[in-house]
Amino acid sequence: MFDDDPDAPPAAQTGSAGHRGRLRARLLAGGNDALGDHEIIELLLMGAIPRRDVKPLARSLLQRFGSLAAVLNADPRALQHHPGMGEASAAALRIVAIAARRQAREQVRASPVLSSWQALIDYLTIDMAHLTVERVRILYLDTRNMLILDDHVGDGSLDEAAIHPREVIRRALDIGAAALILVHNHPSGSPEPSRADIQITHRIAEAGRLLGITVHDHVIVARGGHVSLRAKGLI
């Protein structure tokens, strides 16, 4: 792990400094597309690795993980042990994903969920689309559809071994929720619902109807997009 190279020759350091200055200038003067994906990674690494050309490292990260989003959401240990990386450089990349999640979460909490649906989808995509394990969450809402609790139920396949309809509804009653939204991700990359996804949604919706808890939707997120079971007519 090599977060910095104090022995880099002066010429290399000078050339690198000029390149870094040009990247910063393009970032500040341009729009969202002013820099390529590898250049964004370069800029993020510059603070952690101040005296080394990080362009090859940025390109190797993209090659290994496949995309900018995948790099930023990679497992911290995988980042830290990638050749040329270390603790400081891994932290420089991970902080971007954490900041993005917090910003998206604040936007979701600021307005009724059903009237700010795109903000919810953005938040779920940022937070879950690149996970390598299947994660199940329940978003509990009050009578105004404001988010009360974003509950991480567990990791694993979505079935009654991982999520129990009665427990989901009992939790809603315990915290005074009026409605809920089921959420999980598909690490395969396709958000299309499975038969098990549909069946467990129907069981939870039926349990909710008996006790006055509305199941607004079941959202599945993946690298390939998202699916709303409500929009597909499956609830």
Side-chain angles (χ1 to χ4, degrees):
M1 296 180 289
F2 307 96
D3 269 333
D4 195 2
D5 182 5
D7 299 320
Q13 292 180 22
T14 301
S16 176
H19 173 65
R20 293 173 181 217
R22 289 189 293 272
L23 283 185
R24 293 189 187 100
R26 282 170 51 201
L27 172 68
L28 296 175
N32 291 337
D33 298 321
L35 300 178
D37 288 352
H38 72 281
E39 293 172 322
I40 292 174
I41 296 174
E42 280 187 70
L43 276 174
L44 292 172
L45 292 173
M46 286 176 185
I49 310 175
R51 292 186 293 276
R52 178 155 55 94
D53 179 8
V54 294
K55 183 186 295 185
L57 177 56
R59 290 189 181 278
S60 71
L61 287 164
L62 278 174
Q63 183 176 13
R64 174 179 176 180
F65 294 103
S67 69
L68 174 61
V71 171
L72 299 180
N73 287 281
D75 182 272
R77 290 166 297 182
L79 286 175
Q80 188 172 341
H81 291 95
H82 182 82
M85 293 284 286
E87 184 179 75
S89 48
L93 298 181
R94 283 292 296 164
I95 194 63
V96 177
I98 292 171
R101 284 185 176 91
R102 292 195 180 182
Q103 180 183 16
R105 183 175 61 194
E106 288 174 6
Q107 291 176 340
V108 169
R109 292 185 180 278
S111 304
V113 169
L114 298 187
S115 63
S116 54
W117 191 252
Q118 189 56 52
L120 175 65
I121 297 303
D122 290 344
Y123 169 48
L124 297 176
T125 300
I126 290 170
D127 201 44
M128 299 179 72
H130 294 276
L131 292 176
T132 56
V133 297
E134 195 161 315
R135 177 161 295 171
V136 182
R137 289 159 65 180
I138 310 292
L139 308 182
Y140 291 100
L141 312 177
D142 65 15
T143 55
R144 298 178 299 148
N145 290 315
M146 299 292 288
L147 183 64
I148 299 175
L149 176 66
D150 180 351
D151 190 20
H152 175 188
V153 177
D155 293 341
S157 299
L158 183 61
D159 55 32
E160 291 204 41
I163 181 171
H164 303 281
R166 290 181 181 178
E167 291 183 6
V168 171
I169 300 306
R170 183 182 297 115
R171 179 70 161 159
L173 295 172
D174 287 345
I175 64 175
L180 61 87
I181 297 173
L182 300 163
V183 181
H184 83 286
N185 65 300
H186 281 176
S188 66
S190 170
E192 288 304 313
S194 67
R195 180 178 297 180
D197 295 338
I198 298 169
Q199 289 175 343
I200 195 68
T201 304
H202 289 167
R203 293 191 183 109
I204 294 173
E206 180 59 29
R209 275 192 290 271
L210 295 175
L211 293 170
I213 305 296
T214 301
V215 176
H216 283 314
D217 209 339
H218 181 170
V219 179
I220 303 172
V221 297
R223 292 186 302 276
H226 75 278
V227 163
S228 157
L229 268 64
R230 173 75 64 183
K232 290 179 74 71
L234 297 174
I235 299 180

